[in-house]
């Protein structure tokens, strides 16, 4: 029982994730009654194990982002693109010029206005191949990405957290408690 009771929150995962951020989401959302589902590209395996950035803490992920069709995606209440290098690793595509599966998922998520999209820190990298979803939106991001978000046509706001409709952005993984 909590403010988010019965809600399902997807969290994209890959190597070099920020351990404290991921752990915070798992604990804090559970306190509010929500279920978190880590999602990644499984590459045909049943699960993937990733190490964190600072302490190399392993986390096993068995949620397959490529298996999320539109119907299953609508079962989520929020989708979080965390900080660290998660988004950089997830934007890999086998063919130059193709959209990576995680980028395609994010693009489909932006077509669902009832699905909250949470993007923090370097998570904005995952939006760079689909600048149309950022264009005209008010966002914040890590200081290193301000030029990137402006090049996507987004309006950078110098705040720790910015809410623009169904899009919530955070400056850094260190702000996840505000996010």
């Amino acid at each position: 029982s909590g403010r988010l009771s019965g809600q399902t929150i997807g969290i994209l995962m890959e190597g070099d994730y920020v351990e404290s951020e991921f752990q915070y989401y798992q604990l804090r959302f559970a306190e509010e009654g929500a279920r978190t589902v880590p999602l990644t590209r499984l590459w045909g395996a049943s699960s993937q194990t990733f190490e964190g950035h600072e302490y190399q803490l392993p986390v096993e992920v068995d949620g397959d982002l490529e298996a999320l069709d539109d119907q299953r995606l609508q079962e989520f209440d929020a989708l979080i693109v965390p900080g660290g290098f998660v988004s950089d690793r997830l934007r890999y595509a086998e063919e130059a010029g193709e959209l990576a599966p995680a980028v395609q998922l994010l693009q489909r998520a932006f077509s669902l206005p009832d699905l909250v999209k949470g993007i923090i820190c370097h998570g904005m990298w995952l939006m760079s191949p689909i600048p149309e979803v950022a264009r005209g939106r008010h966002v914040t991001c890590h200081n290193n990405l301000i030029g990137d978000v402006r090049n996507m046509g987004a309006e950078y706001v110098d705040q720790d957290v910015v809410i623009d409709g169904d899009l919530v952005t955070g400056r850094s993984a260190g702000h996840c408690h505000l996010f």
Side-chain angles (χ1 to χ4, degrees):
S1 64
R3 292 183 304 159
L4 300 176
S5 184
Q7 304 280 311
T8 303
I9 300 169
I11 304 172
L12 298 184
M13 285 296 296
E14 241 296 346
D16 271 342
Y17 71 96
V18 178
E19 293 100 324
S20 59
E21 178 190 12
F22 180 67
Q23 291 169 343
Y24 184 84
Y25 294 149
Q26 286 187 307
L27 295 172
R28 188 68 187 100
F29 287 132
E31 287 177 344
E32 291 295 338
R35 177 175 72 102
T36 57
V37 178
L39 300 163
T40 195
R41 193 164 185 199
L42 292 179
W43 299 91
S46 60
S47 68
Q48 293 282 342
T49 300
F50 301 112
E51 289 186 354
H53 180 74
E54 189 171 354
Y55 305 106
Q56 290 72 51
L57 293 176
V59 64
E60 185 174 347
V61 178
D62 63 3
D64 187 359
L65 67 83
E66 291 183 274
L68 290 179
D69 60 17
D70 289 340
Q71 181 179 354
R72 176 94 199 286
L73 182 57
Q74 290 179 20
E75 295 173 7
F76 286 83
D77 299 287
L79 181 66
I80 294 177
V81 183
F85 290 96
V86 170
S87 61
D88 187 44
R89 296 189 192 298
L90 283 175
R91 63 184 180 163
Y92 172 78
E94 287 84 343
E95 298 293 326
E98 296 280 322
L99 292 180
V103 174
Q104 293 175 33
L105 174 66
L106 190 59
Q107 187 174 46
R108 289 187 296 123
F110 271 95
S111 73
L112 302 172
D114 292 335
L115 176 66
V116 174
K117 280 67 75 179
I119 303 176
I120 194 165
C121 192
H122 285 77
M124 296 298 285
W125 273 335
L126 201 59
M127 289 178 63
S128 66
I130 49 172
E132 65 276 6
V133 302
R135 196 166 292 122
R137 304 292 294 261
H138 293 91
V139 302
T140 192
C141 62
H142 192 281
N143 292 349
N144 292 356
L145 277 70
I146 295 171
D148 297 88
V149 299
R150 287 180 174 151
N151 286 337
M152 286 186 261
E155 298 291 327
Y156 173 75
V157 180
D158 187 12
Q159 294 178 347
D160 294 336
V161 174
V162 173
I163 300 171
D164 185 335
D166 59 345
L167 176 61
V168 180
T169 54
R171 186 184 308 272
S172 74
H175 295 95
C176 67
H177 66 288
L178 301 172
F179 179 73

